[in-house]
Amino acid sequence: MKPIAELAAILDDAAREVRAVSQIDPDNRLALEAAYAIQKASIGRRVARGETRAGVKMGFTSRAKMVQMGISDLIWGRLTSGMQIEEGGSVAFKRFVHPRAEPELAFVLKKSLAGDVTLAQAFASIEAVAPALEVIDSRYQDFKFSLTDVVADNASSSGFVLGPWCDPAPDFSNLGLTMNIDGRVVQVGSTAAILGHPLRSLVAAARLSAAAGEPLQAGWVVMAGGATPAEWLKPGSYVSVEVERLGVAGFHVGAAPSAEGERT
Ligand code: 0L1
Ligand code: MG
């Protein structure tokens, strides 16, 4: 196996240069800790280029996806400022290899949260909740990966969009939501699909990030996980999520490649 820094560079360069690469650990031989070390080093390269840490994303938050991958815990990834897409704004399709988007709920924290916390402690750390979309864009060819591959690749995280921040006091455990592309409903779900209650995802985020020596900080965003399957993004489309009571978050995907092969 190549050194961690080299594997991190492969994945970071693939993301920066928008190219798919071969799996780094197709047979899942790496320890999970090594995969997270690659993720950390890869995000460290982004931070060294001037991006700042914005929070964490949680992945495999549905039981079905965990079973599919043969794992019993969530995975997580690191969010940076460079991944945020302005709500209602536009992002170039050429920024991604083969992007998909999924509807989520996001939290912003008013205080740090670390270790084995209760649901009540997690709730007390939340400043606000928002409807959100995550863009996942595996850097691996054909979106094909082992568990350690996807962990090393920052849990496929590539972009996130945050809708209006809302008071967390009213119950958000089972809010209906739709994901829409160009005005057409493409997914229907509920926030309850996120581990039965999105707060459980925040509890797990506190545990996993503290174990990695990076406890959740006040001001950080936690993307709680996909509430429905992800949808492929197409150039020129408008993608949005509407969550009952919380509102809408959306973004435009830049137009199709031109005849000259330029993409915006
Ligand atoms: O839930 C997630 O955000 C999963 C991300 C990693 C797996 C994938 O790319 O589908
Ligand atoms: Mg997600």
Side-chain angles (χ1 to χ4, degrees):
M1 194 58 70
K2 295 182 169 117
I4 293 218
E6 202 173 315
L7 293 168
I10 288 171
L11 292 169
D12 179 50
D13 288 346
R16 215 155 35 92
E17 294 162 16
V18 195
R19 328 179 249 106
V21 293
S22 303
Q23 291 176 248
I24 60 175
D25 188 30
D27 301 322
N28 230 355
R29 292 215 174 106
L30 274 177
L32 204 51
E33 293 71 27
Y36 276 110
I38 297 166
Q39 180 193 121
K40 182 175 182 177
S42 167
I43 296 302
R45 291 168 60 98
R46 296 180 72 125
V47 170
R49 290 195 296 272
E51 296 183 30
T52 53
R53 272 299 296 283
V56 307
K57 69 144 287 179
M58 302 304 291
F60 296 152
T61 49
S62 82
R63 294 282 165 206
K65 220 157 166 176
M66 273 192 216
V67 169
Q68 184 189 21
M69 291 302 289
I71 59 170
S72 57
D73 204 355
L74 306 168
I75 62 171
W76 66 285
R78 294 162 166 94
L79 300 176
T80 68
S81 53
M83 297 175 193
Q84 185 160 5
I85 301 164
E86 190 189 345
E87 200 285 314
S90 185
V91 64
F93 185 76
K94 69 180 179 187
R95 248 185 64 180
F96 307 110
V97 183
H98 36 209
R100 299 196 285 186
E102 56 191 20
E104 304 211 2
L105 195 70
F107 302 113
V108 66
L109 304 186
K110 62 183 174 195
K111 52 186 183 185
S112 60
L113 188 69
D116 290 323
V117 299
T118 62
L119 285 170
Q121 287 168 324
F123 179 73
S125 75
I126 300 171
E127 173 80 42
V129 295
L133 288 163
E134 184 186 22
V135 180
I136 50 176
D137 187 32
S138 174
R139 269 53 66 160
Y140 299 112
Q141 280 149 13
D142 304 322
F143 234 107
K144 192 163 172 280
F145 43 71
S146 65
L147 174 61
T148 46
D149 280 331
V150 69
V151 165
D153 187 29
N154 202 28
S156 300
S157 202
S158 192
F160 62 99
V161 184
L162 302 171
W165 288 117
C166 304
D167 181 359
D171 184 13
F172 53 79
S173 64
N174 188 12
L175 299 177
L177 60 87
T178 59
M179 183 176 167
N180 313 287
I181 299 187
D182 296 330
R184 193 168 54 87
V185 174
V186 291
Q187 292 287 345
V188 178
S190 158
T191 56
I194 306 166
L195 294 177
H197 193 315
L199 256 189
R200 295 203 179 107
S201 185
L202 181 56
V203 167
R207 172 173 55 83
L208 293 168
S209 56
E214 295 177 19
L216 300 178
Q217 305 290 315
W220 275 16
V221 169
V222 176
M223 294 288 287
T228 75
E231 291 282 334
W232 294 105
L233 295 186
K234 292 195 189 73
S237 54
Y238 182 74
V239 185
S240 64
V241 57
E242 178 164 8
V243 181
E244 178 187 350
R245 194 168 50 69
L246 301 186
V248 178
F251 69 106
H252 299 270
V253 184
S258 72
E260 292 79 41
E262 259 301 293
R263 290 191 289 184
T264 56

